[in-house]
Amino acid sequence: DIQMTQSPSVLSASVGDRVTLSCKASQNINKNLDWYQQKLGEAPKLLIYFTNNLQTGIPSRFSGSGSGTDYTLTISSLQPEDVATYYCYQYNSGPTFGGGTKLELK
Amino acid sequence: EVKLQQSGDELVRPGASVKMSCKASGYTFTDYAMHWVKQSPGQGLEWIGTIIPLIDTTSYNQKFKGKATLTADKSSNTAYMELSRLTSEDSAVYYCARSFGGTTDYWGQGVMVTVSS
C-alpha cells in the first residue's frame, strides 16, 4: 500500500497569511493526487485534482503543485472560512488518504 | 445538479449487519464509479472500495474484504454498501463519492453507523 504522510498535523496561521500544506507519498504516485477540504460536520469537498487543477467553484487562492512523491497545497491569503482539515488523496494505486492537516486561525 | 443522497443514520447491535444506500441524481449513473469511504470518530478517511456500475465490477481495500459488500442497481441509480458482523470498530460515518479516473468530485452527506447493544 502507498502511505501518504501529511505535515504538519496542525497548523495555526493568521488571516492573510500564505499557508503551505505538505503531503509525501511512500512511492512515486505520478501526480495522481487530489486535495480535499473537510469542515466540521460536513463531507469532504474536492479542491484540487491531479495535483494542480482547481475544481470548479473553488477560490483561486487555492493552488496545488508537486511531482513524484512530494506534493503541496498552498493558500495564498488565508481567509476565516478556510478553517478546516485538509486531506491529500492518491489514486495511483489502491487509493489512500493522508492523515490530514488541521488548519486553525491564530 | 449532481446529488448523492444517502440513507439515514443507523443504530445496530453488535454482530448484526447493516445495508446503506446512495441514490445518485443529476448525471448518468453508469458513466462513473462509486467509492465508499469510512471516517471513524475524530479520525481521517479510509477508502473501503469501489464499484463500477456499468460492468458491476468491484474492488476492495484488503482491510474491508469480508466486511463490506458493494452493489449497484442501475434501474434506480442507487449504490449500496452492506457491512456485516458489526463491532464497535465499525462505528463511523460512511460516505459514498462519485469517481472518474480516480478523482472523487461529489460526495454524499454521510451515514453515521453506531454499533451498540
Side-chain angles (χ1 to χ4, degrees):
Chain A
D1 288 6
I2 298 176
Q3 308 302 316
M4 303 298 290
T5 303
Q6 290 188 242
S7 60
S9 54
V10 180
L11 178 58
S12 294
S14 301
V15 173
D17 281 355
R18 182 180 181 87
V19 171
T20 300
L21 285 63
S22 295
C23 180
K24 187 173 183 68
S26 59
Q27 63 190 73
N28 182 7
I29 55 171
N30 299 301
K31 296 190 173 184
N32 290 309
L33 179 120
D34 299 339
W35 288 94
Y36 295 86
Q37 176 194 67
Q38 187 178 33
K39 297 183 178 180
L40 202 61
E42 297 182 5
K45 179 198 294 186
L46 177 65
L47 299 176
I48 301 286
Y49 62 95
F50 196 60
T51 294
N52 57 8
N53 295 275
L54 192 66
Q55 173 69 344
T56 303
I58 301 302
S60 59
R61 63 180 180 274
F62 291 92
S63 63
S65 64
S67 63
T69 60
D70 295 303
Y71 297 83
T72 298
L73 174 70
T74 299
I75 307 173
S76 60
S77 178
L78 185 67
Q79 300 302 304
E81 61 266 31
D82 299 336
V83 168
T85 299
Y86 292 82
Y87 294 94
C88 62
Y89 163 77
Q90 70 79 22
Y91 48 91
N92 189 70
S93 172
T96 48
F97 291 89
T101 292
K102 186 176 182 181
L103 181 55
E104 303 173 336
L105 283 181
K106 195 180 289 184
Chain B
E1 178 198 5
V2 173
K3 191 167 185 181
L4 300 177
Q5 183 65 43
Q6 296 188 242
S7 48
D9 294 346
E10 301 270 7
L11 172 62
V12 291
R13 297 285 185 256
S17 297
V18 66
K19 189 172 185 177
M20 62 190 74
S21 64
C22 171
K23 184 169 177 58
S25 60
Y27 72 97
T28 301
F29 184 60
T30 50
D31 283 351
Y32 294 80
M34 193 73 78
H35 287 343
W36 288 86
V37 175
K38 177 183 181 181
Q39 187 165 37
S40 299
Q43 302 300 309
L45 303 163
E46 275 185 290
W47 172 71
I48 296 170
T50 303
I51 186 165
I52 303 174
L54 180 65
I55 53 175
D56 255 335
T57 297
T58 54
S59 58
Y60 294 91
N61 181 336
Q62 185 68 31
K63 178 180 175 180
F64 292 95
K65 283 186 177 177
K67 169 63 66 177
T69 302
L70 306 183
T71 56
D73 179 357
K74 292 187 283 289
S75 67
S76 63
N77 296 336
T78 304
Y80 297 92
M81 180 172 69
E82 183 169 19
L83 301 172
S84 61
R85 299 183 304 277
L86 292 166
T87 72
S88 59
E89 295 295 307
D90 299 314
S91 292
V93 176
Y94 294 88
Y95 294 102
C96 61
R98 186 182 85 160
S99 175
F100 186 81
T103 289
T104 55
D105 57 355
Y106 285 91
W107 293 59
Q109 83 276 18
V111 172
M112 181 177 293
V113 174
T114 303
V115 182
S116 174
S117 55

